[in-house]
Amino acid sequence: MCPILRAPVRAVIYARSASERQNAPSAKVDEQLRRLRQHALERSYGIVGEASDASQSGINMSRPGLANVMSAAAAIPQTFDLVLTTDRTRLARNPVLLKEITSFLNSAGIKIEYAEEADLGPLAGGDRRELQRKDHIEDHLRRRGGLGEDD
C-alpha cells in the first residue's frame, strides 16, 4: 500500500503590538515574528506570508495587516491553511471580535494556531470561565499600571 503524502501546512504568521510607549514600537512585532517563524519551523509549516500591525489596538478590525490576512482568506484558490499568531489577544482584545475573526477564518477553511497558548478548544477561545478570569486579572493589572490599555 502506498503511503499518503500530506502537503505541508501553509501558514501565514500574524503579529500585533499596541504599545507606542516603546522606543521602537515594531520591536515587539519583530520579536513575535521571530518566535512565530521558529514555531513554524519546528512544526514543518511552510510560511507563505507574514502580516503585522505595529502600534495598532486590538479592539477593532481596522488594521492593515489583519485586513490583508482576512482578504487573503477569502481568496479563491486558497493560498494558506493556517493563521499562526502568538496568542488570541494578537488577533483581538474583544471576545466578540475574536469570535467574529475566528468564525470568518474557520468558515473559509482556515485554522488558527496560537503558538504561546495551550489548546483553547474549538472556539479558539477556550474555557469561558478561564478566559473571564484571565481578562479580570489583566483588567486589574491595567488599573494598577502593570499593563498598557491595549497590551
Side-chain angles (χ1 to χ4, degrees):
M1 180 167 239
C2 204
I4 297 173
L5 297 176
R6 290 187 179 187
V9 172
R10 300 169 300 168
V12 167
I13 59 177
Y14 176 75
R16 181 192 64 78
S17 174
S19 180
E20 293 186 41
R21 293 180 297 271
Q22 298 175 332
N23 290 336
S26 65
K28 278 177 95 173
V29 166
D30 292 344
E31 178 59 23
Q32 288 172 47
L33 291 171
R34 186 195 63 73
R35 292 190 320 258
L36 292 167
R37 287 182 201 112
Q38 182 61 38
H39 183 88
L41 178 66
E42 291 168 1
R43 283 156 186 77
S44 300
Y45 297 161
I47 297 174
V48 296
E50 295 186 6
S52 62
D53 289 305
S55 300
Q56 296 285 319
S57 171
I59 61 172
N60 60 52
M61 292 213 15
S62 60
R63 294 175 259 154
L66 181 62
N68 288 341
V69 170
M70 302 294 268
S71 178
I76 296 175
Q78 286 282 302
T79 58
F80 64 102
D81 313 299
L82 175 76
V83 172
L84 179 60
T85 190
T86 55
D87 63 78
R88 69 184 176 93
T89 62
R90 299 307 91 201
L91 286 179
R93 300 292 300 175
N94 173 327
V96 173
L97 182 59
L98 177 63
K99 185 174 180 181
E100 187 178 321
I101 293 167
T102 300
S103 294
F104 177 84
L105 291 170
N106 290 164
S107 69
I110 308 294
K111 293 185 171 136
I112 303 169
E113 184 174 325
Y114 304 114
E116 297 177 2
E117 286 187 4
D119 181 14
L120 293 176
L123 235 190
D127 181 299
R128 195 160 307 285
R129 288 179 309 243
E130 180 60 26
L131 292 179
Q132 288 171 342
R133 184 174 146 327
K134 183 178 178 187
D135 289 342
H136 176 75
I137 291 168
E138 288 176 352
D139 288 343
H140 175 75
L141 289 172
R142 247 184 235 98
R143 284 192 299 276
R144 308 259 331 199
L147 288 176
E149 185 61 33
D150 295 320
D151 282 340

